[in-house]
Amino acid sequence: MARELGAVNWRGLWTLYAKEVRRFLNVSTQTILAPVVTSLLFLAIFTLALGRTIPSLGSVSFAEFLAPGLIMMAILQNSFANTSSSLVISKIQGNIVDLLMPPLSPSELTLGLASGGLSRGLIVGLSVGLGMWVFIPIGLYDPVFVVFHAVNASLMLALLGMVGGIWAEKFDHIAAVTNFVITPMSFLSGTFYSIERLPGNWQLIALLNPFFYLIDGFRYGFIGHADGSLWVGALVVLTVNAGLWTLVHRMISTGYHLKP
Amino acid sequence: MEPNPSLAPRSFGRLNGRGVWTLIYRDLRRYWKYGVESIGGPIVSSLLFLAVFVLALGGQGEAGGGLTFVQFVAPGIVMFALMHSGFFNGAAPLVHDKHEGMIQDVLSAPLNAFEVAAGYGLSATLNALVTGVAVLAAMTPFVDLPFGQPLVALLFAVAGAALFGLTGVLIGLWADKWDHYSAAESFLILPLGVLSGAFFPLDSLPALARTLILFNPAFHVIDGVRYGLTGYAAWSPAASLAVLLIADLALAWLVWRLIAIGYKIKP
C-alpha cells in the first residue's frame, strides 16, 4: 500500500532542506569564511582609497555607509551560488533524479531548495556583519528593515539561482550569468555609493534595478537613511519574489531542462 | 642487418622544443575555448570597478604624483585582472589534469621536468598577458593614460604574469581538489592582489603598513606597471624589478624541482 504523506510531505521537505544546508556547511571555509575575508578586503580598499574624498552623510562615516552594502553583496552572491551550483552539479552528475523521483511536489522542491539558499544568505550575511563589527562601529536603526531585506534578498537570489541552475547545461553557463548579470547588477546598485551621486540617467537605471531596493532598505535599517522610497522598495521586492517563485514553480512542474 | 631508422629512439636535442610548444599550445587553446569567461569576465568586472570609482565616487580627485584618482587606479585594476588570470591559468590546468587523470599524458610524454615546468609556467604567463592587454584595451577609452614607457610596463607585466602564473602552478601541484584551489584563491591571491596598492595610494596607509606592503610582490608588479603607464612610482622601479626577477627565478626553480621529484603528481 502506498504511504500516506498528508497535504505536505514534511519529512521529505526537511530532508531536502537538511541536504542543502549540509552541502555548504561541509565546505564552510569556502562558503562562509571566504566571503567574510573578501568583504573585509573590500571594506579595507574602499575606505583606504576613498575614505578621505567621500563626504560623510551627516553623522555616518563612509565605512558605516559601505558596510551594509558589502554585507548585502555577500548575501546576494552566496544565495545565488548555493542554489545554482546545487542544481547544476546535480544535473551534470545525474543525481538530479534523486530530487525528481521522491514524492516531493514542485512546491515542496521549490521551498526546500530555496530555503537552503536562504539559509546560506542569512548565515553569510550574519558572519560578514560580525566580521565587520570587529573593525568598525555598526549600529542598528531599525532591525525590522534589516531582517525584512536580508530575508527577501536571500530568497530573491536563491530563486534566481534556481532559474539559472535549471536553465544552465554546464558550469560555464552559470559562470556567465554570474559574471555578466549578477555581479554587474550588484555592483551598480548603490553598494559602494549613494545613488544621489550618479548623473541623471544612471540614477534612473539604478531605480530599475531590484537589487537597489534590497541594498537601500537594508542600509536604512542600519543608518536610518534611504535614497529611494522604502515602501516602493518593499513592494518591488515582494513583487519580484512572488514572480520568481511562480516562475521557478512553473519550471519545475513542467520539467524545463530537468526532465527528458 | 641495418637497424630500421624509423624504429630508433627519437632524438630531441637539448630541449624538446616541439613538446614544450605542444604543452603550451594545449593550454592556450583551453584558454580560448572559454574565451567568453577568460577574457569577457575580467573585462566586465574591471570596467565595473572603474565605473564604481569614476561614476559614483567622482574619481577626479588627486592621488599623488599629479595623477587623478582614476589614472592612478586604472593600472591597478588592469594588473589585478592580469595577476588573477595568471593564477587561474597556472593552477586550473594542473588541478584539472590531476583530477581527470590526464596528467599521465604529460608525464609519459618525452618531456623532462624542466620542460613540463616551462610548458605549464609559460602558458599561464601568456594567457595572463592576453587578459591584461585585453582589459587595458577595454579601459583606454575611459581613462586618459599617457603610456610614457610602454616597454617598461610590458616588462613588469611579464614579470608579474610569470610570478602569478608560477604561483598558480605551485598551488596546482599542491591542490588535491578544487576546494584547495578556492582556498588558495580566497586566502592568498585575493589578499595579495587587493592589499597591494592597486586601489589606494601608499600615503593613505599607516607607516607600518607602508613597510609591510613592500613584502607583497604584487605591490612591485603594480607599481612598476603604473610607472610605465603614467610615469608615477611610489618606490624605485629598478629595485622593484630586481625583487620580481629574484622572486620569478626562485619560484621557477621551486616548480621545476617539485615536478622533478613528482610532488603530488607521481604515485
Side-chain angles (χ1 to χ4, degrees), chain A residues 2 4 34 50 55 70 73 83 86 91 107 111 115 122 133 138 202 211 222 249 253:
Chain A
E4 195 54 58
L50 303 157
L70 290 173
M73 205 162 85
T83 47
S86 174
K91 280 163 70 172
S107 301
L111 182 60
S115 312
L122 294 178
W133 185 53
I138 297 182
W202 287 85
F211 292 11
F222 286 97
H249 186 273
S253 34

Side-chain angles (χ1 to χ4, degrees), chain A residues 30 45 49-50 172 193 197, chain B residues 34 44 53 56-57 179 194 199:
Chain A
Q30 274 177 63
I45 57 170
L50 303 157
D172 305 5
Y193 46 80
R197 298 179 61 91
Chain B
Y34 299 103
V44 170
F53 283 121
L57 303 167
D179 298 5
V194 164
F199 306 107

Side-chain angles (χ1 to χ4, degrees), chain B residues 171-202:
Chain B
I171 297 295
L173 286 170
W174 162 77
D176 294 321
K177 40 184 181 168
W178 287 105
D179 298 5
H180 294 161
Y181 164 84
S182 313
E185 184 185 30
S186 301
F187 304 117
L188 176 72
I189 301 301
L190 280 181
L192 281 181
V194 164
L195 302 175
S196 60
F199 306 107
F200 48 79
L202 275 200

Side-chain angles (χ1 to χ4, degrees), chain B residues 59-149:
Chain B
Q60 297 309 316
E62 273 284 307
L67 300 181
T68 64
F69 187 74
V70 171
Q71 284 174 324
F72 175 87
V73 87
I77 296 177
V78 171
M79 291 317 289
F80 183 74
L82 178 144
M83 292 186 290
H84 185 265
S85 170
F87 171 72
F88 174 77
N89 285 293
L94 258 166
V95 179
H96 188 251
D97 289 354
K98 279 162 61 171
H99 205 248
E100 306 285 326
M102 291 188 300
I103 192 82
Q104 296 310 327
D105 299 343
V106 177
L107 295 177
S108 53
L111 291 164
N112 62 28
F114 182 80
E115 290 158 345
V116 172
Y120 279 110
L122 286 174
S123 60
T125 308
L126 288 171
N127 287 333
L129 286 170
V130 172
T131 307
V133 170
V135 171
L136 181 62
M139 224 173 239
T140 39
F142 305 104
V143 189
D144 177 29
L145 291 171
F147 282 93
Q149 290 163 287

